[in-house]
Amino acid sequence: MRSAIIGFVIGIVWLQNQPVLPTLTLTLLLLAAAVLGMAACRSLQPVLRPALLLACGAMLGFVWAGLLAQQRLAHALPDDWEGRDVTVIGTIDSLPYRFDQGVRFNLALEQMLVLQPDGSTLATPDLPPNFPPKIALSWYSTPSAGALPAIEPGARWQLTVRLKKPHGNANPDGFDYEVWLLEQNLRATGTVRPDAQATLKNRRLSDFVFSVGNLVEYCRAGLRERIYAALPEHEYAYAGVIVALVVGDQRGIDQSDWKVFNRSGIGHLISISGLHITMVAGLFAALAQWLWRRSLFTSAELPLLLPAQKVAALSGVVIALLYVLLAGFGVPAQRTLYMLTVVAVALWCGRLTSVSHVLCTALLVVVVLDPWAVLWPGYWLSFGAVASILYASVGRAQPQRHLTEMPDRMTRWRSALTSAGHTQYVVTLGLVPLTMLLFGQVSLVSPVANAVAIPLVGLLVTPLALLGSVLPAPLSGWILVAAHALVAWLANGLQWLAGLPWAVWSAPLPSWWIFLFALLGTVWLLAPRGWPLRWLGLAGWLPLLLNSPTQPQPGQMWVTAFDVGQGMALLIETKQHRLLYDTGAYYSPQSNGGNRVILPYLKARGIATLDGLIVSHNDSDHSGGALSILDEITVGQVWSSLALTSPIVAAAPRHRHCMAGQSWQWDGVRFDMLHPQALSLNNPKQKPNALSCTLKISTGSLSILLPGDIEAAQESELLGSNRDALRANVLLAPHHGSGTSSTVAFLDAVRPDLALFQVGYRNRYRHPKLEIFERYGAMGIQRLRNDASGAITLQFDQTLHISEYRSSHARYWYGR
């Protein structure tokens, strides 16, 4: 049966990498083949059964995941509903997140209001067929409307909203927002319209609508408010960590703190993780067992009615369930709950005979209930850690002690510490290949950091945070302050560890053969004592750790136009150099195109330095990610049209204003700055767009022109001063294809074969303007848009090779 379960997981992974879902015919054929194969297993020789069970399990997993995906995708926003204002009635069914500009929450839809010709409203009894049952909304504050009303879980609201289909940025090695929405069953996103622009006013209809889910979210919101009331964020820097440990809401943790936690390798502890759930459940299980063995200090002789071990198992599962509900029933917490439940059921039924059977059963339960779990690192790290511990412990010979030897307390403590140290050693080494495959880096200081953080957070901070969130004041405040003090003390030590130059080992994401070779080396390294030359297993890690980034050949050039939404960002690579042109948009104080798109890509490629960075001008959709990039990686030179007082200029190690006439060569590739003129930089009346750094890059007979946000006046200036230099095979559409750029004369001078439009999906500026977009088409220019293509990669060699991420990495949920 273990072979069938492993095959089932393989089948689900296979389905989640498909560009389209299987047809009904293929589904039925696979189902029939799996059933027939299962029936034929009994007649096969035992040595052949595992292979057949593996194949049958894979077919069943493929079918199961496909059916669930079909069911989930059946709910979709109709095309003609995108961009329309519609008034809906629904309940807040998530923990709202407040940020500087507004609030985000999920709304479970109940009804729609239709405006009648006479001005009255009609409430539809049901939603339109296959309309999304739940949507994700953002409500932004406006100066005219004042502060937003309180948004609380369980409240019923009438809201006028503008919806769009699920859509996210699509970049190599980036976060897939669309599949995350699919997993959460959020089949549309949108914004709440201000009352001044809404046909019907936004108003609360009921303070609370009872349901189990609403009650849980209401309690979570109450606990969060209690913690923030006791630990004001302006006084207690790590209040967000306490909130994350109690209710699983990590959104209050600053990005700079996440950087420290991740570099030190303890990021898995800063939330309601599987480790915390297991520890809390274990503590309560031990307490229940201790009390039950003493019959709750009565004369009832309770252990004779029910064994104390079973009571402990039941208590542990109940506490784990309550804690997971506090976490909002998030996917990582669910995995731990399912695993503990499987162990408890096996113990209760007397079937706890094989740990590997229990692990495989938990593996199966998770993917049956959530087949998208295999797409997230946490799934593989959770089960990978458990599998490493089992491999290095189960069935291994233990030192024998004479029956008459009773270990003293010191011996027991020494044994416990040795066991904990060995477990940490096994998990650290066992997860190295998987961590490098998923993240392209491994923390070298994590063993030290975890040796302190695991007992501190698991046995002290988390219990104190839970107690402080439920006890009455002022006791609750004292306990929460104590928990915060422990976190602050830990964070100070982690900052020192994370700041060490060698704290993290980074390398490009490995190919499959490198990963498998490293996995084989790990198995050899963790083999039982007596296995010959176990240290040779480290040789399997060498290709993994010494892997080097891919790069063009001399004279070649690669250009990656990132999908950063409404913004610009392009990476230009030559044989030995890399230049970033613009850094994407500023999304929020914690999020921008730099830390959300560009840096994950660079880390996955193993790129730790940039030779140059050009910030074309000061608009936030071009400069929004610059500070994050300068803070995270080494940048040799910065060119910009920014004022000398700009924070970006201050953060740059070397800065030069870009000016027409500047040029240089890297590895046979020529770079020429065509704009702005020196006089323009000194003119305070010039708008930022007019100062955009305009760069032409040429290799052999091919070239690309990057004009930033120049407008018609600057295009005319270039035509008059340097018309011949404008000719290029590829053009980045000026100002995202707005109506103020891309004049006929300019396009006629450039005469590109391909135009790139870096625009956001249904952006508020309506870029590119339809007239301009059609102008390119009428001139025979091929057009590619990041909102439709995802990241676009161009390889300049003897010819131009084009790759669109949404096509080369097609998935069945794209555009759905």
Side-chain angles (χ1 to χ4, degrees), residues 30-54:
L30 289 174
L31 184 60
V35 171
L36 291 174
M38 289 285 191
C41 277
R42 295 182 179 179
S43 59
L44 282 180
Q45 296 180 2
V47 70
L48 298 177
R49 287 177 189 170
L52 182 57
L53 286 172
L54 188 76

Side-chain angles (χ1 to χ4, degrees), residues 18 47 50 177 194 225 250 257 318 333 352 361 386 401 403 422 426 450 459 510 536 546 558 582 643 723 768 779:
Q18 296 303 303
V47 70
Y177 182 58
E225 292 306 313
Q250 302 175 328
D257 293 330
V318 171
L352 195 60
T361 304
V386 176
R401 182 182 290 112
L403 292 176
H422 180 259
V426 167
N450 278 282
L459 298 178
L536 281 179
L546 302 179
W558 296 347
D582 278 341
R723 180 185 179 92
M779 297 180 72

Side-chain angles (χ1 to χ4, degrees), residues 3-5 7-9 11 34 38 52-62:
S3 297
I5 291 174
F8 193 88
V9 175
M38 289 285 191
L52 182 57
L53 286 172
L54 188 76
C56 292
M59 289 186 282
L60 289 175
F62 188 88

Side-chain angles (χ1 to χ4, degrees), residues 237-318:
Y238 300 102
V241 174
I242 303 298
V243 170
L245 292 172
V246 174
V247 299
D249 183 11
Q250 302 175 328
R251 295 170 293 187
I253 302 176
D254 193 81
Q255 283 297 316
S256 60
D257 293 330
W258 274 122
K259 179 181 176 181
V260 172
F261 298 148
N262 291 330
R263 281 182 61 85
S264 57
I266 64 115
H268 62 102
L269 298 176
I270 310 301
S271 180
I272 300 181
S273 68
L275 180 63
H276 298 147
I277 295 169
T278 303
M279 282 186 168
V280 172
L283 287 173
F284 275 90
L287 177 62
Q289 186 175 20
W290 183 80
L291 291 173
W292 196 261
R293 281 179 173 172
R294 288 156 181 77
S295 298
L296 302 179
F297 298 100
T298 67
S299 58
E301 296 184 349
L302 296 178
L304 297 179
L305 301 176
L306 187 66
Q309 197 175 20
K310 291 187 176 182
V311 172
L314 179 61
S315 302
V317 169
V318 171

Side-chain angles (χ1 to χ4, degrees), residues 105-397:
F105 55 91
N106 298 338
L107 189 73
L109 298 181
E110 298 172 344
Q111 293 179 314
M112 284 189 177
L113 296 181
V114 179
L115 189 65
Q116 302 298 305
D118 60 0
S120 62
T121 58
L122 173 66
T124 58
D126 297 304
L127 297 173
N130 294 325
F131 200 85
K134 188 164 66 171
I135 58 178
L137 294 175
S138 299
W139 194 347
Y140 296 98
S141 58
T142 59
S144 58
L148 294 177
I151 302 296
E152 297 175 348
R156 176 178 283 133
W157 278 82
Q158 171 187 298
L159 298 171
T160 298
V161 299
R162 180 170 292 180
L163 300 177
K164 62 181 180 180
K165 293 184 176 182
H167 188 91
N169 300 333
N171 295 280
D173 307 304
F175 177 72
D176 195 329
Y177 182 58
E178 291 178 42
V179 76
W180 181 85
L181 289 173
L182 178 64
E183 183 184 33
Q184 303 298 319
N185 199 23
L186 294 167
R187 299 297 300 128
T189 64
T191 56
V192 178
R193 304 295 288 161
D195 284 341
Q197 302 174 19
T199 306
L200 298 172
K201 301 299 183 184
N202 302 311
R203 59 193 181 99
R204 178 161 37 195
L205 303 178
S206 302
D207 289 338
F208 185 76
V209 178
F210 180 79
S211 73
V212 174
N214 287 347
L215 180 61
V216 169
E217 295 300 327
Y218 187 83
C219 292
R220 294 179 70 215
L223 292 174
R224 183 176 65 176
E225 292 306 313
R226 288 201 73 196
I227 295 170
Y228 279 133
L231 303 173
E233 291 182 90
H234 63 278
E235 296 180 24
Y236 296 90
Y238 300 102
V241 174
I242 303 298
V243 170
L245 292 172
V246 174
V247 299
D249 183 11
Q250 302 175 328
R251 295 170 293 187
I253 302 176
D254 193 81
Q255 283 297 316
S256 60
D257 293 330
W258 274 122
K259 179 181 176 181
V260 172
F261 298 148
N262 291 330
R263 281 182 61 85
S264 57
I266 64 115
H268 62 102
L269 298 176
I270 310 301
S271 180
I272 300 181
S273 68
L275 180 63
H276 298 147
I277 295 169
T278 303
M279 282 186 168
V280 172
L283 287 173
F284 275 90
L287 177 62
Q289 186 175 20
W290 183 80
L291 291 173
W292 196 261
R293 281 179 173 172
R294 288 156 181 77
S295 298
L296 302 179
F297 298 100
T298 67
S299 58
E301 296 184 349
L302 296 178
L304 297 179
L305 301 176
L306 187 66
Q309 197 175 20
K310 291 187 176 182
V311 172
L314 179 61
S315 302
V317 169
V318 171
I319 293 300
L321 174 61
L322 293 176
Y323 200 15
V324 169
L325 288 175
L326 273 182
F329 219 68
V331 174
Q334 288 181 42
R335 287 194 294 267
T336 304
L337 175 63
Y338 299 149
M339 186 176 292
L340 291 175
T341 302
V342 169
V343 172
V345 170
L347 185 91
W348 190 279
C349 300
R351 302 295 297 272
L352 195 60
T353 56
S354 171
V355 181
S356 63
H357 278 93
V358 173
L359 178 64
C360 285
T361 304
L363 196 75
L364 176 66
V365 170
V366 172
V367 294
V368 165
L369 296 176
D370 179 19
W372 295 278
V374 299
L375 296 173
W376 309 115
Y379 175 84
W380 300 104
L381 292 174
S382 297
F383 287 105
V386 176
S388 298
I389 294 171
L390 294 181
Y391 170 71
S393 59
V394 174
R396 303 286 176 93

Side-chain angles (χ1 to χ4, degrees), residues 528-568:
R529 289 182 180 179
W531 193 268
L533 300 175
R534 285 190 299 171
W535 57 271
L536 281 179
L538 292 173
W541 287 6
L542 293 180
L544 180 78
L545 300 177
L546 302 179
N547 192 16
S548 58
T550 55
Q551 55 194 14
Q553 295 301 312
Q556 295 181 351
M557 176 175 64
W558 296 347
V559 176
T560 302
F562 295 107
D563 180 9
V564 290
Q566 185 62 23
M568 280 187 188

